[in-house]
């Protein structure tokens, strides 16, 4: 057995010191280690397996970190992390005090730009390349973007700008793993792409142009036409050439010899000032691990699994996931109302709309990673009388905010937003937390804003949204399983708009919960009851419009009013406080305490630890009430700015 090489690679400099013929062994060791480590920790598997050759070749050929590598999303970044000194840290990836699943500048000098959302790499790399030019510094910028990221409109905006600037020190590597151009992929086209990028071929083309330009007539024009016709015949590069990129590809991205030769040629092209260049590499998602290659979607983001069999650990029986409750409720409603359509942005499975697609394939739309388009597309459908439900994660809906304002809210169009992954999401960390939707939607005039306390409430809120035909609405719900504390009704029943509910009556303390912290509010009430403090617990259901009658009653009949939400400052609690102030309810003895997410980004960890850090557990709610009443209790600190619990 040959000596292992990966243990001696702590940086790309170590990789570049190896003989070129040893790099195939490095590729094999990285791929095997990713499978072994992710099988224990969980993480993003298939995308990283497909990108191993590309990342090994980039670090072997280019002078990183002087040449800046920017990755899109980060799903494909595990080989990059292993080659840049973080291999030993993989046992705690996505865990407290461990490395992140995505790219982050604070983690490594080789992470030149943070990456969690798709479509950002070309814009960032162009900015870096332009800055290097302004500073008269050597080096280039390389953007590695997955094919999914290329569906984002922002990617094409960046390509257009880079072509306009004729940015000579920019390389874009398109990691295409969807096989959508399979007829163009094979030994012949890969061979042509490599050879067309060779210095000799480029010199010959230049000499031919010089010769033809000295001849009479339009021979040069026809030479150009012949060259472009050849490219059309063998590759899909005309779009990129039209954007003023030199197109190289498609190449076989999982053939290390092919990738190394192509990148070596591309680097020489960059040094000769021939950029911007786009390298089109076709890879297989999950490459090298048969179960992932056969089912790349299932192995995209995984939990622990058995390497030999590829089997996942059996899931414990439990309550249905919120996303499935949403989808199943929507299916029931759609059977009765042909106007209902489902829209998502490259997250059919993640939002549960894959279930809707199976039943109503002609009423389901996946627009790709294009949240802005999804929202305005839904607005267009809405103005024609359809009932679009747009299911997008909270953190991704941020990308479409202008469209929500301009194309939906201002026109009072009844687009229905199903906001998945609201609140803390665990190991995916800061780039994926659903922290801000209450705030950024709650400030919009006319918006109906709901949050489900449990899975049964979610069913009612989906039914409610389906009945709102005069304005936009949104309902939020968390990641994962429901509470298992409620029995699901046969069907959802529309709620009265802007009306909450009281679950427990008390006299001294009132806790008004918005969303799934309701269980913690009830637990806090039990703690307070043990100390002789009678506590009312209410579920607001709506952040907009507020249940003003309920708030007046809680304020008038209690000494302390606490709001609890899984959202940032400026959300539900701020709306309640605004109403209390203008209604004169804060002029007396009422002590009002809004509990929300702290004013800092919460890192990856288990969700229960994230809520502990945020100060949104039962003990924090109880402590806030006790301190407000002057009880001499040990202080419970949450790591918040201005929020003490």
């Amino acid at each position: 057995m040959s000596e292992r090489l990966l243990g001696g690679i702590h940086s790309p400099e170590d990789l570049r010191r190896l003989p070129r013929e040893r790099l195939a062994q490095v590729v094999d060791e990285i791929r095997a280690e990713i499978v072994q480590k992710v099988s224990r920790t969980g993480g993003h598997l298939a995308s990283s397996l497909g990108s191993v050759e590309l990342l090994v070749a980039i670090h072997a050929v280019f002078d990183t970190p002087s040449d800046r590598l920017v990755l899109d999303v980060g799903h494909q970044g595990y080989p990059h992390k292993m080659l840049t000194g973080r291999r030993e840290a993989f046992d705690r990836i996505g865990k407290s005090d461990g490395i992140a699943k995505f790219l982050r500048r604070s983690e490594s000098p080789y992470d030149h730009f943070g990456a969690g959302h798709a479509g950002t790499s070309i814009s960032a790399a162009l900015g870096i390349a332009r800055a290097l030019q302004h500073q008269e510094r050597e080096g280039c910028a390389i953007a590695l973007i997955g094919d999914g990221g290329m569906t984002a409109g922002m990617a094409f905006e960046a390509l257009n700008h880079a072509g306009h600037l004729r940015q000579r020190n920019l390389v874009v590597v398109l990691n295409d793993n969807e096989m959508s151009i399979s007829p163009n992929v094979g030994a012949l086209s890969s061979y042509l792409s490599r050879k067309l990028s060779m210095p000799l071929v480029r010199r010959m083309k230049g000499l031919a142009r010089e010769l033809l330009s000295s001849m009479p007539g339009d021979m040069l024009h026809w030479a150009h036409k012949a060259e472009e016709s050849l490219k059309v015949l063998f590759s899909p590069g005309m779009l990129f050439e039209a954007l003023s990129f030199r197109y190289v590809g498609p190449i076989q991205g999982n053939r290390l010899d092919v990738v190394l030769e192509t990148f070596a040629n591309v680097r020489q092209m960059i040094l000769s000032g021939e950029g911007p260049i786009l390298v089109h590499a076709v890879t297989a998602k999950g490459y090298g691990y048969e179960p992932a290659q056969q089912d790349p979607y299932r192995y995209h983001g995984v939990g622990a699994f058995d390497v030999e069999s590829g089997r996942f650990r059996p899931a414990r029986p439990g309550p249905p996931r919120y996303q499935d409750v949403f989808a199943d409720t929507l299916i029931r409603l759609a059977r009765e109302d042909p106007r209902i359509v489902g829209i998502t942005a490259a997250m059919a499975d993640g939002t549960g709309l894959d279930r809707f697609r199976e039943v109503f394939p002609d009423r389901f739309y996946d627009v790709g990673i294009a949240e802005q388009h999804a929202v305005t597309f839904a607005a267009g459908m809405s103005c024609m009388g359809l009932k679009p439900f747009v299911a997008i994660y909270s953190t991704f809906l941020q990308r479409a905010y202008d469209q929500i304002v301009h194309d939906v809210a201002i026109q009072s169009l009844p687009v229905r937003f199903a906001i998945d992954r609201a609140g803390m999401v665990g190991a995916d960390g800061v780039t994926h937390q659903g922290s801000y939707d209450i705030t950024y939607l709650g400030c919009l005039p006319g918006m109906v804003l709901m949050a489900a306390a449990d899975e049964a409430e979610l069913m009612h809120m989906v039914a409610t949204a389906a009945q709102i035909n005069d304005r936009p609405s949104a309902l939020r719900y968390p990641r994962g399983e429901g509470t298992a504390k409620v029995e699901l009704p046969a069907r959802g029943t529309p709620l009265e708009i802007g009306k909450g509910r009281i679950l427990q009556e008390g006299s001294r303390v009132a806790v008004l919960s918005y969303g799934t912290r309701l269980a913690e509010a009830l637990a806090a009430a039990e703690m307070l009851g043990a100390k002789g403090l009678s506590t009312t617990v209410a579920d607001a259901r709506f952040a907009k419009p507020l249940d003003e009658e309920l708030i007046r009653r809680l304020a008038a009949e209690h000494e302390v009013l606490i709001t609890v939400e899984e959202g940032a400052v400026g959300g539900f609690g701020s709306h309640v406080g605004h109403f209390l102030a203008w209604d004169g309810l804060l002029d007396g003895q009422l002590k009002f305490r809004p509990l929300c997410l702290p004013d800092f980004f919460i890192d990856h960890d288990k969700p229960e630890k994230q809520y502990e850090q945020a100060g949104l557990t039962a003990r924090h709610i109880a402590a806030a009430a006790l301190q407000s009443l002057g009880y001499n209790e040990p202080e419970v600190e949450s790591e918040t700015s201005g929020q003490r619990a």
Side-chain angles (χ1 to χ4, degrees):
M1 182 177 177
S2 60
E3 177 189 1
R4 282 180 57 82
L5 299 175
L6 199 52
I9 298 175
H10 305 287
S11 71
E13 287 86 351
D14 297 328
L15 180 72
R16 290 191 283 269
R17 280 192 283 267
L18 290 174
R20 189 62 59 90
E21 60 269 17
R22 303 296 300 276
L23 295 183
Q25 182 181 337
V26 174
V27 165
D28 292 340
E29 290 182 19
I30 288 175
R31 184 166 277 120
E33 191 153 322
I34 287 175
V35 172
Q36 289 293 335
K37 288 185 178 293
V38 174
S39 74
R40 297 192 295 270
T41 64
H44 295 104
L45 182 65
S47 296
S48 286
L49 291 179
S51 68
V52 177
E53 286 84 1
L54 293 177
L55 284 162
V56 168
I58 287 171
H59 282 299
V61 171
F62 290 91
D63 187 23
T64 55
S66 295
D67 292 327
R68 269 72 171 176
L69 172 62
V70 179
L71 280 78
D72 219 85
V73 184
H75 293 157
Q76 57 193 337
Y78 289 11
H80 165 76
K81 286 180 180 260
M82 286 195 166
L83 291 169
T84 54
R86 287 167 279 182
R87 175 173 161 261
E88 299 298 328
F90 262 76
D91 290 333
R92 292 199 57 78
I93 191 167
K95 294 180 171 58
S96 177
D97 301 321
I99 62 173
K101 289 185 175 183
F102 303 98
L103 279 288
R104 57 196 309 175
R105 284 169 51 82
S106 61
E107 191 174 284
S108 169
Y110 291 90
D111 290 1
H112 297 291
F113 199 81
H117 293 183
T120 63
S121 61
I122 304 175
S123 295
L126 176 59
I128 290 170
R130 200 67 180 178
L132 289 171
Q133 181 177 324
H134 278 297
Q135 296 162 354
E136 299 182 350
R137 297 167 66 180
E138 297 296 325
C140 66
I142 307 133
L144 177 59
I145 182 168
D147 58 325
M150 198 62 100
T151 67
M154 184 176 175
F156 282 92
E157 293 173 19
L159 288 170
N160 184 55
H161 190 206
H164 170 72
L165 293 174
R166 309 273 179 178
Q167 196 63 43
R168 294 178 295 176
N169 59 345
L170 175 68
V171 178
V172 175
V173 180
L174 170 57
N175 178 13
D176 183 346
N177 56 28
E178 285 295 323
M179 304 301 288
S180 59
I181 57 159
S182 55
N184 295 313
V185 177
L188 177 60
S189 63
S190 184
Y191 174 83
L192 285 173
S193 297
R194 282 182 287 148
K195 297 310 176 187
L196 286 171
S197 68
M198 291 178 62
L200 177 61
V201 175
R202 300 199 311 275
R203 286 199 298 273
M204 290 176 64
K205 289 164 68 177
L207 287 170
R209 287 195 186 96
E210 280 187 36
L211 176 64
L212 290 168
S213 64
S214 65
M215 294 182 177
D218 58 353
M219 293 181 68
L220 180 60
H221 167 75
W222 288 111
H224 279 303
K225 296 286 285 184
E227 180 187 359
E228 299 307 325
S229 296
L230 187 65
K231 288 178 181 174
V232 170
L233 179 64
F234 288 111
S235 77
M238 286 303 295
L239 170 63
F240 302 111
E241 294 274 356
L243 292 169
S244 299
F245 272 75
R246 297 296 300 273
Y247 175 82
V248 177
I251 65 170
Q252 295 167 304
N254 293 125
R255 279 273 306 274
L256 183 63
D257 57 335
V258 170
V259 179
L260 285 169
E261 183 180 352
T262 302
F263 283 166
N265 294 332
V266 166
R267 185 163 190 256
Q268 289 303 312
M269 293 167 70
I270 288 292
L271 291 174
S272 301
E274 296 184 43
I277 299 168
L278 185 136
V279 180
H280 185 171
V282 177
T283 63
K285 196 169 182 177
Y287 186 79
Y289 180 58
E290 190 64 22
Q293 197 166 339
Q294 291 298 319
D295 192 356
Y297 195 92
R298 189 178 180 210
Y299 284 84
H300 171 74
V302 299
F305 62 94
D306 177 69
V307 174
E308 293 300 320
S309 66
R311 294 193 186 96
F312 294 99
R313 292 178 184 173
R316 294 175 299 174
R321 299 178 301 174
Y322 279 99
Q323 66 201 59
D324 296 335
V325 172
F326 158 70
D328 291 344
T329 305
L330 191 64
I331 289 168
R332 291 190 192 99
L333 293 167
R335 285 197 173 104
E336 301 168 2
D337 191 339
R339 295 171 296 175
I340 290 176
V341 297
I343 301 170
T344 190
M347 296 301 295
D349 182 73
T351 60
L353 281 186
D354 57 330
R355 300 158 83 101
F356 184 89
R357 177 179 57 198
E358 291 175 6
V359 182
F360 301 107
D362 295 335
R363 292 157 64 183
F364 166 81
Y365 299 91
D366 185 345
V367 303
I369 302 176
E371 291 84 0
Q372 293 170 292
H373 166 61
V375 171
T376 305
F377 175 62
M381 285 187 156
S382 178
C383 74
M384 294 299 293
L386 295 186
K387 291 187 172 184
F389 278 78
V390 182
I392 297 177
Y393 292 4
S394 170
T395 186
F396 298 146
L397 191 60
Q398 297 163 184
R399 296 155 67 96
Y401 190 60
D402 181 61
Q403 285 67 37
I404 296 170
V405 176
H406 181 269
D407 300 334
V408 176
I410 289 177
Q411 302 186 89
S412 296
L413 289 172
V415 174
R416 298 139 183 99
F417 296 98
I419 305 174
D420 203 329
R421 269 56 168 186
M424 300 293 96
V425 296
D428 284 348
V430 294
T431 58
H432 285 61
Q433 311 281 32
S435 304
Y436 311 112
D437 57 272
I438 306 172
T439 301
Y440 68 68
L441 294 178
C443 64
L444 298 180
M447 178 71 70
V448 176
L449 202 55
M450 300 172 272
D454 54 49
E455 54 270 43
E457 283 290 293
L458 177 56
M459 292 179 65
H460 300 320
M461 289 178 181
V462 175
T464 304
Q467 295 298 312
I468 299 174
N469 294 312
D470 60 346
R471 49 189 155 162
S473 59
L475 52 111
R476 74 188 318 253
Y477 47 95
R479 179 181 188 171
E481 295 180 345
T483 64
K485 296 180 180 179
V486 294
E487 184 177 347
L488 294 184
R491 59 186 298 117
T493 303
L495 304 172
E496 184 179 354
I497 303 297
K499 289 298 179 183
R501 56 175 179 153
I502 292 179
L503 286 86
Q504 175 177 312
E505 293 276 9
S507 57
R508 293 199 67 186
V509 176
V511 182
L512 180 58
S513 175
Y514 181 66
T516 53
R517 291 290 92 188
L518 181 63
E520 295 295 317
L522 289 166
E526 188 174 341
M527 294 177 186
L528 293 169
K531 294 182 176 292
L533 295 174
S534 177
T535 303
T536 295
V537 178
D539 176 13
R541 283 177 164 164
F542 295 85
K544 197 164 189 181
L546 289 172
D547 188 339
E548 297 180 356
E549 181 182 351
L550 174 62
I551 295 170
R552 286 193 186 99
R553 178 184 166 190
L554 296 178
E557 297 177 0
H558 301 81
E559 296 176 50
V560 178
L561 173 57
I562 299 171
T563 58
V564 185
E565 65 186 298
E566 301 157 301
V569 174
F572 173 67
S574 296
H575 284 263
V576 173
H578 186 84
F579 169 72
L580 289 171
W582 277 102
D583 213 53
L585 298 171
L586 293 178
D587 298 342
Q589 299 301 310
L590 178 69
K591 299 174 178 63
F592 173 60
R593 301 290 185 268
L595 298 184
C596 62
L597 292 177
D599 194 27
F600 60 82
F601 297 108
I602 296 179
D603 215 341
H604 51 260
D605 208 332
K606 293 182 178 179
E608 55 268 27
K609 291 186 177 180
Q610 293 174 323
Y611 284 115
E612 181 73 27
Q613 185 183 10
L616 293 177
T617 68
R619 72 184 186 91
H620 290 95
I621 298 169
L626 292 169
Q627 290 172 14
S628 299
L629 292 168
Y631 279 68
N632 187 21
E633 291 289 321
E635 190 173 80
V636 179
E637 288 280 2
S638 62
E639 299 179 32
T640 64
S641 174
Q643 176 175 307
R644 302 173 72 86

